[in-house]
Amino acid sequence: MNKISLAKRLNNNKRGYLIINAGQGKHKIALIGDVKNEYDTLAKLSKDILKNALVIGFAETAIAIGAALASSAGAFFMQTTRENVCENDNYIYFTEAHSHAMEQRLVYSDLEKIYNQVERIVFVEDEITTGNTIWHCIEEIEGIFKGGKKYAIAPLTNTLSEERKSFFKEKNVDIIYIRDIDKEGFEEDVADILTDGEVYRIDSNSLNKDVKEIIFKTGIRTRRLINIKDFDAEIKRLGDFLEEKYELKSLLKNKKTVTVLGTEEFIYAPIKLAEYIDSISDADVYVHSSTRSPIEVSKLVDYPLHTRYELRSIYDKNRQTYVYDLKESDIFFLFTDGKDKDGEADTLEAVRLSGNKNIYLIRWDNE
């Protein structure tokens, strides 16, 4: 399956497997060059459907993919979210049936603002299995706005059955993807995997005095409707800010490995920062993210994930989150817009446990 491997979901009775993409830079740590190549490939294939489009990336695994596709075409971008990002319950709700966190939503007022300005709405996923969630979303949107908008779906990996492919063809929904995989037998393939990987359950009270904190003030709210050109320009400003205030090139000098870790839904900006670091240094630059997804880990060499850190969320200390296979690096950047101190302490403790000592916390501060 080339870049694709199977992992076993933890305590999920709806679907036992999860497809792990080694070039996605989400659950599995990846070199930024591999991530860029993966996203660029899908963007090139999707070129025609991205013209005059609104791109919607699905939380949490496809947000960065969607933003990258929007960036390739200078399109408007929105993401679904599970966070509270606006007042007065101003959302369009729909659900993701096989997920560990079922609720998905879009900000109603943002979609209302952009709906009549675009020709097509493009949904972006890392993997499409049945397409039920996306179809429910289309029905909700058209039920509200009734504009007969064109729709398309752009996943990295397509595992739709022939029946579901025919369904979307009949509905005039284009589907563009990099790879098409038959998922028959995936449940059986993961059922008996030996799940003997390392698990660290973290409950930290550390004050993080050894961590260098960088606060970047910005007006960009990443979970709201965005002109992606503005977002990309802001990330460029971040690079200039890091160079001017912290001499980033000097910090990176003679470093062989660098890791940038994003948090949950906040992953596009960390990926862009990793791209920038890759462009100004000779280091191997890695990127991935904490996640809500509970996944089994194994010592098996061919299994994609080997170590799981269980953390309080950096957005809500009462929510369990995870990060997998943290790498010891010469310099480590935790890049987040989260502000929960308990979750922050847990995440940084996991970073330390993996052998990292030269740690920077970059806070995307939009308040």
Side-chain angles (χ1 to χ4, degrees):
M1 289 189 288
N2 197 6
K3 295 180 179 180
I4 301 301
S5 56
L6 294 181
K8 186 175 183 178
R9 290 174 181 257
L10 177 64
N11 299 328
N12 190 317
N13 297 320
K14 299 165 190 169
R15 194 175 84 174
Y17 70 88
L18 183 69
I19 291 177
I20 303 291
N21 184 335
Q24 187 179 340
K26 178 58 181 172
H27 304 113
K28 184 178 177 65
I29 190 168
L31 283 166
I32 188 58
D34 293 340
V35 176
K36 190 174 188 306
N37 287 340
E38 183 80 349
Y39 292 7
D40 285 351
T41 298
L42 184 60
K44 288 173 184 175
L45 292 170
S46 306
K47 182 178 179 181
D48 289 341
I49 64 169
L50 294 173
K51 295 175 182 176
N52 192 26
L54 167 66
V55 179
I56 298 177
F58 268 81
E60 60 180 39
T61 52
I63 291 171
I65 310 165
L69 261 62
S71 181
S72 73
F76 284 95
F77 176 71
M78 286 184 69
Q79 65 160 86
T80 69
T81 184
R82 296 179 176 116
E83 305 292 350
N84 292 315
V85 298
C86 62
E87 298 177 352
N88 303 321
D89 199 32
N90 185 230
Y91 301 106
I92 299 170
Y93 287 90
F94 51 100
T95 60
E96 191 172 11
H98 61 259
S99 176
H100 53 279
M102 289 177 61
E103 183 183 277
Q104 289 274 20
R105 53 193 180 180
L106 289 164
V107 176
Y108 174 89
S109 57
D110 286 353
L111 193 57
E112 183 181 41
K113 185 185 304 181
I114 196 65
Y115 181 87
N116 289 319
Q117 297 182 40
V118 297
E119 179 182 343
R120 180 185 281 108
I121 296 175
V122 179
F123 295 100
V124 178
E125 272 283 26
D126 54 336
E127 175 232 339
I128 182 170
T129 308
T130 65
N132 287 336
T133 303
I134 291 174
W135 183 247
H136 291 159
C137 187
I138 291 172
E139 288 186 314
E140 286 292 326
I141 291 171
E142 287 304 311
I144 294 168
F145 298 109
K146 299 178 172 44
K149 195 68 62 182
K150 293 180 181 178
Y151 289 90
I153 309 170
L156 296 175
T157 301
N158 177 24
T159 66
L160 288 174
S161 66
E162 292 303 319
E163 179 183 357
R164 292 302 289 172
K165 289 176 185 175
S166 297
F167 170 84
F168 282 107
K169 186 174 182 179
E170 290 170 5
K171 299 295 185 181
N172 295 314
V173 177
D174 294 321
I175 304 176
I176 308 296
Y177 49 86
I178 296 177
R179 58 189 67 81
D180 191 17
I181 294 175
D182 183 357
K183 63 179 180 292
E184 186 70 28
F186 281 5
E187 292 287 352
E188 292 79 7
D189 288 344
V190 302
D192 296 324
I193 287 174
L194 184 62
T195 54
D196 60 349
E198 298 285 345
V199 176
Y200 296 92
R201 296 177 177 89
I202 297 173
D203 186 0
S204 177
N205 295 314
S206 171
L207 296 177
N208 302 320
K209 291 181 179 178
D210 58 330
V211 175
K212 283 76 74 176
E213 183 177 13
I214 297 171
I215 297 175
F216 179 67
K217 295 285 186 180
T218 174
I220 298 289
R221 299 182 66 191
T222 63
R223 291 168 184 79
R224 301 298 300 266
L225 174 66
I226 297 171
N227 183 330
I228 202 69
K229 292 180 180 178
D230 295 337
F231 196 177
D232 288 343
E234 194 70 345
I235 296 169
K236 182 181 182 303
R237 188 173 75 84
L238 170 63
D240 295 339
F241 170 80
L242 292 174
E243 183 56 41
E244 180 183 348
K245 299 291 186 181
Y246 299 95
E247 299 182 342
L248 181 60
K249 290 177 184 175
S250 296
L251 292 179
L252 297 169
K253 191 174 182 180
N254 299 323
K255 301 296 189 291
K256 293 182 178 179
T257 55
V258 177
T259 294
V260 181
L261 182 71
T263 53
E264 301 179 45
E265 293 182 6
F266 188 75
I267 183 61
Y268 179 65
I271 284 174
K272 295 301 288 186
L273 176 60
E275 283 184 21
Y276 176 71
I277 290 172
D278 192 48
S279 73
I280 63 171
S281 78
D282 295 324
D284 290 332
V285 183
Y286 295 86
V287 67
H288 60 141
S289 170
S290 64
T291 174
R292 290 194 187 196
S293 297
I295 309 169
E296 295 278 15
V297 290
S298 174
K299 292 179 181 176
L300 293 170
V301 174
D302 293 337
Y303 190 81
L305 303 173
H306 306 286
T307 304
R308 181 174 73 244
Y309 301 86
E310 300 182 350
L311 324 164
R312 289 170 292 183
S313 172
I314 201 164
Y315 300 95
D316 177 359
K317 66 182 178 182
N318 296 311
R319 184 167 78 218
Q320 181 81 79
T321 54
Y322 311 87
V323 65
Y324 300 91
D325 291 355
L326 285 162
K327 181 180 180 62
E328 182 178 352
S329 302
D330 294 328
I331 186 167
F332 194 105
F333 296 98
L334 172 60
F335 187 14
T336 185
D337 63 349
K339 293 184 178 179
D340 186 284
K341 290 299 181 182
D342 293 320
E344 180 183 300
D346 281 7
T347 307
L348 289 167
E349 183 63 19
V351 171
R352 290 190 197 91
L353 282 173
S354 57
N356 290 282
K357 297 180 176 64
N358 190 11
I359 305 168
Y360 287 80
L361 169 62
I362 302 176
R363 197 181 305 283
W364 182 274
D365 186 356
N366 57 15
E367 292 182 0

